[in-house]
Amino acid sequence: MKLSVDRTNLLAKSCGALSLVAAVATAGFPCHAMGGESIPLEAVNKANTVIDAVIEAYGGEDAIDGLNSVARKSRFTTWSTFQSLRPEPPWDEGTQANFAAIDFANETFVGRQTGSQGGFDFDNVQVVEGETGWNIDHRAETVTAQANPDFNNNSGPFIRVTAPLLVKQLKERRHTSHWLGEAEIDGRPHDIVTLVMEVGPALSLYFDQETRMLTRSERVLPPFGQVDYRFADYRDVDGIPFAHSFKLYANDEPNLVIHYESIEVNQSLAKYTALPQDYAPLDAVAQPTEVALDEFEEGVFLVGANGTYAMFVEMEDHVVGVGGTAGIEERIA
């Protein structure tokens, strides 16, 4: 097989120090043909070495395997980054109290959000227990059965902002992980390892090479851009280090800061899953899974699926679209 000089040099360099660019550029030209490991094999082996060290830093295999439940109270400061009433900063700001709890053995998740933002006051709870789920509105005093409860979908956002739970996922799904290379953050070298969760885009996890603590993770959400999660101020909770400072950035703009108030591990969630007996029950509304169009006023449409909709308004020579970016291409079509 004939290689150009530049490609051969790139291949030789990438065998010693893997980079994502090199891995893509040299696809189909394995390093073992030149006396070393193939690029994919090196990426997997290096990832496993990093993961082993990370698990040890987070309390060891027994501690991570035994981490069945986490319950956390916190306070959020949020900015409606790129989604405010204004088309540019300063973004609309809001605050809310948050409670989230997860139990892996029973596939249970509880999330409660209380606060005000965008002119709305809210106090809502989501409860998922296996194949059943409920939405509780404490302001309206109603309980609604979820049409399509899903433990992974509901718990995913909580796992993504909780470092030990990401490590637990990394241990369980290490067969899908690869080492992407090294990066310097705040003057400290980090290893970058991928994590493919059950749902959602893959994450790139940045681990400090000395402490082995997770300091940052990234995920890409086309066409929106990149979301960065930043972890700091680690403190032990029952022998497991939890980050007590968390910030989220959307395309380098601040989007969320979490102020933690309490963290409990391996406690029963029974007291959090009980439904109010005096609230009015409402039937679940099945959400269409295929993109549907509903003209609810002349020239005004809702287009969406899975409970997420965009609004489109016909004007004389153009259409105005209002809403989130999830699945926007299908909705425009």
Side-chain angles (χ1 to χ4, degrees):
M1 185 178 296
K2 186 176 181 181
L3 302 178
S4 69
V5 174
D6 289 342
R7 191 156 181 151
T8 304
N9 289 339
L10 178 59
L11 176 62
K13 292 178 181 177
S14 65
C15 291
L18 177 68
S19 71
L20 183 59
V21 174
V24 173
T26 61
F29 300 96
C31 292
H32 60 72
M34 301 180 65
E37 291 182 336
S38 69
I39 290 175
L41 181 59
E42 182 178 358
V44 170
N45 289 340
K46 180 68 173 180
N48 277 291
T49 299
V50 173
I51 291 169
D52 287 338
V54 167
I55 292 171
E56 190 63 29
Y58 277 83
E61 287 196 13
D62 290 344
I64 293 299
D65 288 341
L67 183 59
N68 177 62
S69 72
V70 177
R72 183 170 64 200
K73 294 180 180 179
S74 53
R75 187 165 295 277
F76 287 14
T77 300
T78 60
W79 293 270
S80 300
T81 311
F82 303 110
Q83 295 179 329
S84 295
L85 297 177
R86 310 176 190 86
E88 57 187 22
W91 310 115
D92 296 339
E93 183 176 331
T95 60
Q96 63 175 273
N98 179 275
F99 173 80
I102 190 171
D103 180 328
F104 289 99
N106 297 299
E107 291 196 338
T108 298
F109 177 77
V110 181
R112 181 172 184 172
Q113 301 82 36
T114 307
S116 300
Q117 187 158 9
F120 293 95
D121 297 328
F122 52 88
D123 187 353
N124 303 316
V125 181
Q126 294 177 322
V127 178
V128 173
E129 291 184 281
E131 297 182 355
T132 62
W134 306 89
N135 294 325
I136 305 169
D137 187 333
H138 285 294
R139 289 178 57 80
E141 297 187 348
T142 59
V143 176
T144 308
Q146 293 185 16
N148 302 298
D150 187 285
F151 171 72
N152 291 314
N153 276 326
N154 282 268
S155 64
F158 179 56
I159 293 174
R160 284 192 290 269
V161 300
T162 309
L165 297 185
L166 285 171
V167 173
K168 186 178 181 71
Q169 289 272 303
L170 193 61
K171 179 180 182 298
E172 295 171 353
R173 304 179 66 81
R174 64 193 303 161
H175 60 284
T176 66
S177 294
H178 292 77
W179 181 74
L180 296 185
E182 299 179 351
E184 189 172 286
I185 299 177
D186 297 329
R188 300 178 64 86
H190 286 65
D191 286 304
I192 312 169
V193 175
T194 57
L195 169 61
V196 181
M197 293 178 60
E198 188 71 25
V199 294
L203 295 169
S204 298
L205 305 180
Y206 290 68
F207 293 102
D208 187 298
Q209 289 185 354
E210 180 179 346
T211 66
R212 295 302 180 183
M213 292 293 105
L214 178 68
T215 66
R216 182 175 298 187
S217 68
E218 299 171 348
R219 63 197 298 233
V220 178
L221 302 172
F224 176 74
Q226 181 168 295
V227 177
D228 298 335
Y229 306 78
R230 304 183 186 182
F231 306 82
D233 188 20
Y234 276 90
R235 306 175 197 172
D236 275 9
V237 178
D238 285 2
I240 299 175
F242 281 78
H244 279 65
S245 173
F246 175 85
K247 297 179 180 179
L248 186 149
Y249 290 79
N251 292 329
D252 292 327
E253 293 278 353
N255 180 252
L256 169 67
V257 173
I258 302 180
H259 311 276
Y260 299 118
E261 296 179 350
S262 66
I263 299 174
E264 294 180 348
V265 300
N266 295 334
Q267 302 295 313
S268 171
L269 303 189
K271 60 183 177 182
Y272 305 122
T273 59
L275 301 179
Q277 297 302 305
D278 55 343
Y279 283 11
L282 300 177
D283 293 333
V285 178
Q287 303 290 353
T289 57
E290 299 294 330
V291 174
L293 181 148
D294 177 26
E295 185 175 16
F296 65 94
E297 294 287 348
E298 185 177 357
V300 183
F301 304 85
L302 285 180
V303 186
N306 294 314
T308 302
Y309 297 87
M311 182 174 72
F312 293 87
V313 182
E314 288 184 335
M315 311 301 284
E316 288 187 4
D317 59 353
H318 62 282
V319 175
V320 175
V322 182
T325 58
I328 197 63
E329 292 182 359
E330 292 84 355
R331 286 151 175 73
I332 291 173

